[in-house]
Amino acid sequence: MVHWKEVLRKNFTQWEPLCDYLELDEAARPHILKKSIFPLNLPYRLASKIKKNSLTDPILLQFVPLSEEEQKIPGYSRDPLQETTFKQSSKLLQKYPSRALLVTTSACAMHCRFCFRRHFDYDVHSKSLDLDLQKTREDPSIKEIILSGGDPLSLNNETLASMITSLETIPHIRRLRIHTRFPIGIPERLDPELLHLLGKSRLQIWVVIHCNHAQELDVDVLSALKSVQKQGIPVLNQAVLLKGVNDSIAAQQSLAETLIDHGILPYYLHQLDKVEGAAHFAVEDHIGVQLIEELQKRISGYGVPKFVREIPQKLSKTPLC
Ligand SMILES: *Cc1c(COP(=O)(O)O)cnc(C)c1O
Ligand code: SF4
């Protein structure tokens, strides 16, 4: 099997080779943002799924910077969730009781144009998690740690192993959640060593992937996720409601059905966070509510995600249905 780092190295990061690969014509090219503060980063697997010479493809819209990003729209800010105010230490964020989020890295397998952490003030100076783990150790109310980022699977297996080992020594930590989009672009990341590492932990592990459109799920991605499930690890999905990507009942239904056909539970459908550069993805709340109500009529109850918004200061995500 090819090493995931080899695959990652082949990501598209320059607009010109990407435009050529996508066969974008002279009329389409001016819509591509050539320089973005949040740079282009697109795995080959995802690029290969984009329809040629189309600016409306649901995968292109998610990953390729378009000129719309430069619009300044009132209400859209750099830190819409005021995350910096919830930092317990440089990498530990706690907003909700009983669980805390470790921002392990700023690196991702891909750059999603609507990412609410696209301007996040990552602590890139220190690699050590000692202080963050110390905070966790001192607070027995924390029962679950969520590895987030960036994408925690950007870290190599050795780093993850030592992180998990440290967390296992904290008696009140019972569960470990991994929030990752890595397998969607680079399923090779779920290598045997990682699976072994996750499978043997004393912590109950939950993996939450991030997939917005059924086209992101191909046989390789699904079979890699199956190998996670075979370790006794439940896999859930969270999606973001995005204009032009999944704001139709057809898109929502096919995503939900593909997920539940493979034992993956649709967990959340998030309303877009109002981050600068992402305003063109906004869908009105009432459209989202309609989509969920319609979905409820069409598929099994467990296949319907909770439609939520994140409101700073609230003690959980806020349901919109
Ligand atoms: C979303 C989020 C969580 C997880 O919330 P759940 O409802 O348990 O999935 C935890 N911490 C932070 C800071 C979050 O933003
Ligand atoms: S993978 Fe997640 S953290 Fe990384 S850019 Fe996409 S949405 Fe943001």
Side-chain angles (χ1 to χ4, degrees), residues 171-185:
H172 51 268
I173 301 297
R174 308 208 288 248
R175 299 179 298 268
L176 179 70
R177 207 193 307 180
I178 301 177
H179 278 182
T180 179
R181 191 150 159 71
F182 222 105
I184 300 299

Side-chain angles (χ1 to χ4, degrees), residues 83 93 95-96 99 101 146 177 267-268 310 317:
E83 284 202 313
L93 275 179
K95 286 191 204 169
Y96 307 150
R99 53 220 192 271
L101 199 143
I146 303 170
R177 207 193 307 180
Y267 179 34
Y268 280 140
E310 191 156 337
K317 315 268 184 249

